[in-house]
Amino acid sequence: MAKITGRESAGQLPPKVVRLYGAVIELIEEGADIGSMKVSQITERAGIGKGTAYDYFDTREEIIVYALMFFMEEAARNLEQEIWEKETFSRRIELFMDSIDRQAEKGACLLCLVNLVFEASDLGQLFRKLLNEHRKEEACLLSSLERRIVEKGIADGEIRKDLPVAYMAYILMAKIVAYALYTVHHQAVDKKSAQGEAIFLKTEIPCEEFRRYILGGILEEFQAE
């Protein structure tokens, strides 16, 4: 039986793997810590034997990271059609941020993804490795979408064309990640505050204002000459 690589689309995945991925996402949304999440927890939620998981994956980390990567790619796939219905570069970026707002409202999956970008854990290292491999192979839909948004903006004369597309796509990604970081942190602070918990790092800027800064920064840097 072929092992899962983390590059498969929804149609390429065996039903049992889809159930494993769904179990990971459900557990995360219920508050489970991915650092201590066990394979037995995942397989029990998925309704399959623990040994079956190792038919498809070599490690616990693969199950969790591949599930989150699949979640991210599916979110990008759902966003893609909406993106091209927007007529301007600015509106496409706003839709990207709308999507982040929606995912942040759902809960912990977006926070996990953002944290994995920076974590030194085995999970974080595997996530970054897989993400880089996807980018090199141009198989990461999210990265591809950001690049195509930049290319469309250049073609339409909305944004500058004197900078490399790859550079502009990375800048766009960095600012979108910054918005995601602030959004999930802001929601976490609001939740702790409502529960009367101690807050060590407050968010002093309302999300709506921070959003304007991010969008304004992108448009200013990418402004056509």
Side-chain angles (χ1 to χ4, degrees):
M1 184 177 296
K3 295 286 187 178
I4 297 298
T5 67
R7 298 175 178 82
E8 295 82 4
S9 63
Q12 296 173 316
L13 289 172
K16 289 181 180 179
V17 172
V18 174
R19 284 158 59 187
L20 285 168
Y21 285 176
V24 171
I25 300 305
E26 286 179 9
L27 287 166
I28 290 172
E29 294 296 358
E30 290 173 7
D33 175 20
I34 60 173
S36 58
M37 189 183 294
K38 297 179 180 179
V39 174
S40 58
Q41 287 179 275
I42 299 168
T43 54
E44 182 179 352
R45 176 61 62 94
I48 64 176
K50 183 176 178 181
T52 303
Y54 290 105
D55 289 339
Y56 298 102
F57 303 93
D58 289 326
T59 66
R60 176 190 78 95
E61 286 75 18
E62 284 184 356
I63 302 173
I64 296 170
V65 169
Y66 292 2
L68 282 165
M69 193 76 178
F70 181 75
F71 169 83
M72 181 183 76
E73 290 290 278
E74 285 300 292
R77 202 175 306 282
N78 293 333
L79 180 64
E80 186 172 22
Q81 183 175 350
E82 287 186 78
I83 284 282
W84 303 121
E85 291 173 356
K86 302 302 178 184
E87 296 181 353
T88 66
F89 177 81
S90 175
R91 285 298 300 129
R92 293 179 195 116
I93 302 306
E94 289 188 81
L95 182 60
F96 235 119
M97 292 192 285
D98 289 343
S99 177
I100 288 171
D101 292 341
R102 291 194 297 266
Q103 294 299 334
E105 287 174 3
K106 288 181 181 179
C109 277
L110 179 61
L111 179 59
C112 282
L113 283 166
V114 170
N115 286 340
L116 286 178
V117 173
F118 304 100
E119 276 188 12
S121 66
D122 290 342
L123 289 165
Q125 291 179 44
L126 178 59
F127 178 75
R128 289 190 297 275
K129 177 177 179 291
L130 185 62
L131 194 59
N132 286 331
E133 288 174 355
H134 276 223
R135 285 175 181 157
K136 288 177 183 177
E137 299 166 7
E138 298 186 351
C140 178
L141 181 57
L142 187 60
S143 295
S144 169
L145 192 53
E146 289 168 337
R147 184 183 183 94
R148 283 181 286 142
I149 289 172
V150 168
E151 290 173 338
K152 177 66 172 169
I154 293 171
D156 291 345
E158 294 184 272
I159 62 176
R160 60 195 301 176
K161 59 182 179 181
D162 60 317
L163 294 173
V165 170
Y167 169 79
M168 296 173 78
Y170 270 105
I171 292 297
L172 176 57
M173 177 178 286
K175 290 185 180 294
I176 292 295
V177 168
Y179 180 69
L181 273 169
Y182 194 84
T183 300
V184 296
H185 179 59
H186 193 282
Q187 291 204 6
V189 166
D190 284 349
K191 184 177 179 180
K192 287 183 177 182
S193 178
Q195 295 173 346
E197 297 181 31
I199 300 169
F200 299 102
L201 181 60
K202 295 183 179 180
T203 52
E204 299 178 354
I205 307 172
C207 274
E208 297 80 5
E209 187 176 349
F210 194 83
R211 176 181 171 129
R212 289 198 300 272
Y213 289 146
I214 290 290
L215 179 61
I218 292 170
L219 296 179
E220 181 178 0
E221 183 154 5
F222 289 4
Q223 186 176 20
E225 298 295 337

